[in-house]
């Protein structure tokens, strides 16, 4: 750990258990440099490495990264192909680091829609890291919260139809248990880079009480210092969960 930076200011007891990030702004980063959008995605991959490393070092439990949305399939085929290529490259280059650093890898989303070669490497790394109990790196791929909620409703309806479940048994806990994020705590922090004030179909159920941070910084420019500064700001927030201070 780099002791000269802002880590020392963090209250290790008050760290978020789960950080979720909408990694936005790769295209704008490239455009502002008159580069192809793909260059922005390439640089964005370096920021992913930094955020994973920092999260592991400081002891975050779960890091969920929105890497590709269900809507992103509508981008030009050349951009989709480049993103898949970069994802494969990223997974291959990080495999050893995940194993060496006790990182458990998981993917959430409509993974069946991913290309077969990407699916294969995802499954390989999920299996390889299944027994690790350090940081859970949760990559959202072909992910859409409405798809996730639809799948949950279908699963519960099927159980009700087969008599396994009564309508009255359906609770918030049971719903959470049928989402991709089952067994994970809800995100404490949601970060969105590059300034858009929207959630773009990300973790709609899970962010009910999440603290939201939107930064103007474009994802390729997002730094360790800014990440740590957001975590410090999070520790100053008063999370009331609808209650009043007594
Ligand atoms: C985020 O950057 C990466 C993905 C959505 C895959 P964008 O590609 O959305 O970048 P902008 O929003 O066009 O700048
Ligand atoms: C959200 O970014 C999805 C990811 C970061 C993977 P988008 O760039 O796709 O979202 P919109 O289009 O600005 O809502
Ligand atoms: Mg975008």
């Amino acid at each position: 750990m780099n002791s000269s930076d802002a880590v020392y200011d963090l209250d290790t007891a008050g760290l978020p258990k789960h950080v979720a990030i909408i990694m936005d702004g790769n295209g704008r980063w490239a455009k502002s440099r008159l580069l192809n959008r793909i260059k922005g995605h390439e640089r964005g991959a370096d920021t992913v490495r930094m955020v994973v490393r920092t999260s592991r070092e400081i002891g975050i439990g779960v890091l969920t990264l929105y890497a590709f949305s269900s809507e992103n399939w509508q981008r030009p085929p050349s951009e989709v192909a480049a993103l898949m290529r970069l994802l494969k490259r990223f997974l291959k280059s990080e495999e050893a680091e995940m194993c060496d650093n006790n990182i458990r890898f998981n993917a959430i989303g409509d993974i069946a829609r991913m290309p077969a070669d990407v699916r294969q490497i995802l499954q390989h790394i999920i299996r390889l890291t299944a027994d690790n109990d350090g940081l859970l790196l949760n990559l959202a791929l072909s992910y859409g919260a409405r798809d996730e909620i639809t799948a949950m409703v279908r699963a519960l309806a099927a159980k009700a139809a087969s008599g396994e479940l009564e309508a009255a048994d359906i609770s918030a806990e049971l719903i959470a248990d049928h989402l991709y994020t089952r067994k994970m705590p809800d995100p404490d922090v949601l970060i969105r880079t590059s300034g858009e004030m929207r959630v773009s179909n990300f973790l709609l159920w899970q962010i009910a009480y999440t603290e939201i941070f939107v930064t103007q910084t474009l994802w390729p420019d997002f730094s360790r210092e800014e990440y740590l500064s957001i975590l410090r700001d999070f520790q100053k927030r008063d999370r009331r969960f609808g209650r009043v201070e007594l």
Side-chain angles (χ1 to χ4, degrees), residues 22-28 37 41 72 75 79 192-194 196 198 200:
I22 301 174
M23 310 185 290
D24 198 17
N26 293 348
R28 276 163 278 178
R37 293 177 57 83
H41 297 313
N72 289 152
R75 294 192 177 193
E79 180 167 349
R192 182 170 187 143
T193 56
S194 85
E196 287 339 323
R198 55 178 173 254
S200 302

Side-chain angles (χ1 to χ4, degrees), residues 11-186:
D11 164 16
T12 45
L15 281 172
K17 290 190 176 63
H18 185 169
V19 174
I21 308 183
I22 301 174
M23 310 185 290
D24 198 17
N26 293 348
R28 276 163 278 178
W29 183 92
K31 193 171 175 209
S32 72
R33 286 164 178 75
L34 304 176
L35 296 169
N36 187 292
R37 293 177 57 83
I38 311 307
K39 289 281 172 221
H41 297 313
E42 279 175 19
R43 284 297 291 266
D46 295 335
T47 310
V48 174
R49 289 186 186 90
M50 177 281 289
V51 165
V52 172
R53 188 166 309 133
T54 304
S55 303
R56 174 182 63 70
E57 281 177 7
I58 62 181
I60 301 293
V62 185
L63 176 66
T64 299
L65 300 176
Y66 204 5
F68 193 84
S69 75
S70 47
E71 289 74 24
N72 289 152
W73 289 114
Q74 296 163 52
R75 294 192 177 193
S78 58
E79 180 167 349
V80 171
L83 284 165
M84 296 300 147
R85 210 165 44 238
L86 278 172
L87 174 62
K88 254 172 57 182
R89 193 197 293 170
F90 173 83
L91 291 168
K92 283 185 187 157
S93 70
E94 296 314 288
E95 179 179 327
E97 171 141 359
M98 289 191 238
C99 291
D100 293 347
N101 290 294
N102 197 23
I103 294 175
R104 182 153 68 92
F105 178 75
N106 186 51
I108 61 170
D110 187 1
I111 303 304
R113 231 179 136 181
M114 300 296 282
D117 54 346
V118 174
R119 255 184 1 244
Q120 208 174 0
I121 173 154
L122 288 171
Q123 279 153 7
H124 166 70
I125 300 183
I126 290 170
R127 243 181 267 128
L128 199 67
T129 62
D131 293 330
N132 291 349
D133 59 3
L135 173 71
L136 170 58
L137 172 59
N138 198 29
L139 217 51
L141 294 170
S142 189
Y143 174 88
R146 287 184 168 180
D147 284 351
E148 178 182 38
I149 289 170
T150 305
M152 173 273 292
V153 172
R154 283 196 184 141
L156 293 182
K159 286 185 183 178
S162 72
E164 195 184 322
L165 193 69
E166 297 285 333
D169 296 335
I170 298 176
S171 62
E173 290 71 31
L174 194 71
I175 288 173
D177 236 26
H178 286 78
L179 298 175
Y180 295 130
T181 49
R182 67 186 69 90
K183 297 197 172 67
M184 298 175 201
D186 286 337

